[in-house]
Structures are given as structure tokens and as C-alpha cells.
Amino acid sequence: MYNFIGYGIAMLGVGIGIGLIGFGAMNGMSRQPEAISKLQVAMLIAMAFVELVFLLTLFLGKGLIGG
Amino acid sequence: MNPNEIFSLALASSEAGKEGAEHHHSLLAVFVYFAFVLAIVFTLLSVAKKGFSPRGFKGFISQCSEQLYLFIENMCVGTIGAHGRKYIPFIITFWLVIFFSNVVALFFPVAPTADLSFNLGMALCSIGYVQYEGMKANGVFGHLKHFAGPKLGLAMIPITLMIFMIEVISEVMKNLSLTLRLFGNIDGGHQAAEAMSKLAGGAAGVHWIPAGTLLVPVKFLTCVVQAMIFCLLTCVYLSLVTHHEEEGAHAH
């Protein structure tokens, strides 16, 4: 049961993180539309790293608490 | 074994969990080959002079493959630099295998990339090739020196040693991160679809209705993005170990 609460908290943080990345990328894209392709690539890499945090949480939660 | 039998076996093994582990592994092999066959068929169709009916699909497959090639070429040249062109076959192989394995995951409950061992194998290939290229570009000792960080002088040897160990660990963790990212996304898609089906079934008062199918467009987006991210990260790792050669030539 507790691991689900933990997943929820992790999801909250990761949601904020990915939202901030999207926010920054959108700002940058609207300021410099010619840099969209470069910004998109960097944005996707950053998103992948943030997303990995949640996946690691999921695996650790399953492994340590046994959900 | 006809397709229906395979499909019912797949359903059984995905529901039975650990008890169906043996089925699961043999099925996994079947689906790995399925993905490979899809990729090979795509490649053959793209090089064939006549694709499908010329009325409906005028150069459709060849256009797709040309777009894919341009996309990967952009990725390689943009990330690695001018010498990134020689990695295109390697990266495009990864893209095709991952993409078609993910497409298998759209329609079947068992898929190659929804299994940790397949992903770990691909990550080992990727990172192993990165090490090989690093050694080829900088020499074995140059590559190892690259792990030790900047030159800090004699008094800082413990720090350099620590940086070296941390770098080696992070190099090993790259395998894990590539594996878990792909696995988590594809397997997460399966679990989300299953949860949605159960939820909709509960709301309708029956055991299960296939509402998870509604997730297919989102899962397709995940397929493309995950294949791209795996390739992109391989490119980034390759650029990290090979881009020092020009700078090194200028600095020394």
C-alpha cells in the first residue's frame, strides 16, 4: 500500500520536472523558431533522464518493498 | 502453430505470470523473430523497385525509408559531428529493431522490448560499441585516461582515483538506464492498457472490456519516441568518446 503513495509522490516530482522542461523548451522555441530542431532534441534527452527517475523509483519500490 | 494459438498462449502466459515463465520465454523468441522479420520486410520493400500497388502507394515505402534515413543522418551528423556519418548503419539498425519490436507491443501482450533481457542485450551492444570506438579514437590508455577527468597534479591522486571509479560506475549504469527506460515505457504501456481495461470493465459491471485499445495512438507515439531516444543517447555517448580527437589535436 505504502509503495503506491511513494509512486504518487515520485510521479508528482517527475511531472513537475517534465513540465518545467516543456515550459523551458516552449519558451525557447517561441523566442527562436529557427532553433526548434536543436531544442527538440535537447528537450527529449532531458525528458528521458527525468523519466528514468520515475522508472528507477518504480523498480526500487518493487524490489525493496515488494509491491 | 497457427496465429490464434500463439495469441492465446501469449494471453495465458501474460496472465499466469511466473507460472507461465517458460511459455513466456519461448514466446519472446517468437516475437523477437517477428520484429526482425518485420524490419527485414520493410527494408526489402524499400529497396524493391515496385512496392505495393502504384496507385495507392506511389513510392510510399521508399519515401518512408528515405525520410527515416534523412532523420537518422540528421541525428548522427548533428550530434556526433561530420564524422558521425559512418555510424548511420549502426544507429539505423537499432532504430529499426527497436521500432518494430515496439510496434509488436502495440498488438500483442508479449513483446521483445517489454522484456528486460532483450533490452539489456541491446544496451550492452550499444555501450560496448561506444567503448570500442573510444579505444579506436583515443587508444586504450587514452580512453581510460578520459575516465580519470582533468589533470589535477600529484597531490590530487585520491580525487582522480575517485573520479575514475565514479566514471566507470556511471559507464556501467548507462547500460542500466538504457535498459530500464525502454523496458519501463513499453511494459508500462502494457500495464496501463490492462488497468484501463479492468477499470472500464468494473464501471460496466463486467470483468474486462478492451478499453485499453484507446491507448494505441499514445503508445504508438511512445514507440517512435523511445526508438529515437535510444538512438539519440547512443549518438550522444559516441560523440562524448570520439569528439575529443579534433580538440585534442588543437590543444596539444
Side-chain angles (χ1 to χ4, degrees):
Chain A
M1 189 62 210
Y2 292 113
N3 54 357
F4 289 116
I5 298 171
Y7 296 160
I9 295 170
M11 198 104 204
L12 178 76
V14 168
I16 292 171
I18 292 185
L20 279 176
I21 293 168
F23 169 74
M26 288 283 168
N27 264 340
M29 282 178 202
S30 60
R31 273 163 204 261
Q32 268 189 318
E34 66 269 24
I36 280 184
S37 56
K38 282 182 186 174
L39 283 175
Q40 263 174 347
V41 169
M43 180 187 79
L44 280 172
I45 294 179
M47 277 186 175
F49 279 114
V50 173
E51 194 181 52
L52 183 72
V53 174
F54 179 68
L55 295 173
L56 282 178
T57 315
L58 212 65
F59 281 92
L60 284 181
K62 270 190 182 171
L64 295 182
I65 310 176
Chain B
M1 199 185 268
N2 63 15
N4 281 335
E5 218 174 321
I6 292 176
F7 192 65
S8 61
L9 254 178
L11 273 179
S13 73
S14 74
E15 278 165 10
K18 281 175 186 167
E19 290 163 16
E22 284 168 27
H23 279 315
H24 180 89
H25 285 302
S26 58
L27 264 174
L28 179 73
V30 169
F31 283 111
V32 169
Y33 285 121
F34 193 56
F36 275 120
V37 167
L38 275 176
I40 289 168
V41 165
F42 175 82
T43 315
L44 284 180
L45 278 177
S46 63
V47 297
K49 278 187 179 156
K50 279 185 193 171
F52 291 126
S53 159
R55 250 184 294 162
F57 298 89
K58 198 173 180 194
F60 177 71
I61 300 281
S62 50
Q63 272 180 22
C64 277
S65 62
E66 278 165 22
Q67 286 301 321
L68 174 65
Y69 179 80
L70 286 177
F71 171 66
I72 302 280
E73 191 190 19
N74 261 336
M75 188 195 281
C76 286
V77 175
T79 316
I80 307 178
H83 65 287
R85 213 170 285 272
K86 69 175 177 182
Y87 302 117
I88 291 176
F90 182 67
I91 303 292
I92 217 163
T93 309
F94 265 134
W95 202 92
L96 281 175
V97 167
I98 295 171
F99 178 70
F100 282 104
S101 306
N102 291 352
V103 165
V104 167
L106 285 182
F107 304 108
F108 297 102
V110 179
T113 40
D115 190 273
L116 275 173
S117 47
F118 187 72
N119 295 349
L120 184 62
M122 279 192 304
L124 284 174
C125 289
S126 161
I127 301 297
Y129 185 65
V130 168
Q131 304 308 320
Y132 170 72
E133 281 295 321
M135 283 174 193
K136 222 168 90 176
N138 305 324
V140 176
F141 287 106
H143 186 62
L144 289 178
K145 217 188 279 170
H146 173 248
F147 284 146
K151 275 181 189 166
L152 290 175
L154 269 180
M156 292 297 213
I157 279 182
I159 305 280
T160 307
L161 214 66
M162 225 148 76
I163 294 177
F164 181 78
M165 278 163 69
I166 290 173
E167 283 285 328
V168 169
I169 290 172
S170 89
E171 207 69 18
V172 174
M173 289 299 280
K174 276 177 188 172
N175 285 310
L176 202 66
S177 84
L178 282 177
T179 310
L180 285 185
R181 183 176 301 114
L182 194 54
F183 170 76
N185 276 286
I186 304 304
D187 193 58
H190 277 157
Q191 286 182 11
E194 213 176 295
M196 229 170 125
S197 302
K198 269 183 193 164
L199 206 66
V206 291
H207 176 57
W208 189 85
I209 54 173
T213 324
L214 295 172
L215 283 178
V216 162
V218 183
K219 280 168 80 178
F220 186 71
L221 187 73
T222 316
C223 290
V224 180
V225 170
Q226 286 313 310
M228 200 195 107
I229 282 180
F230 196 98
C231 298
L232 200 61
L233 284 174
T234 307
C235 282
V236 170
Y237 296 151
L238 276 172
S239 80
L240 283 180
V241 294
T242 56
H243 87 293
H244 290 291
E245 52 191 338
E246 294 104 333
E247 283 183 8
H250 285 297
H252 299 296

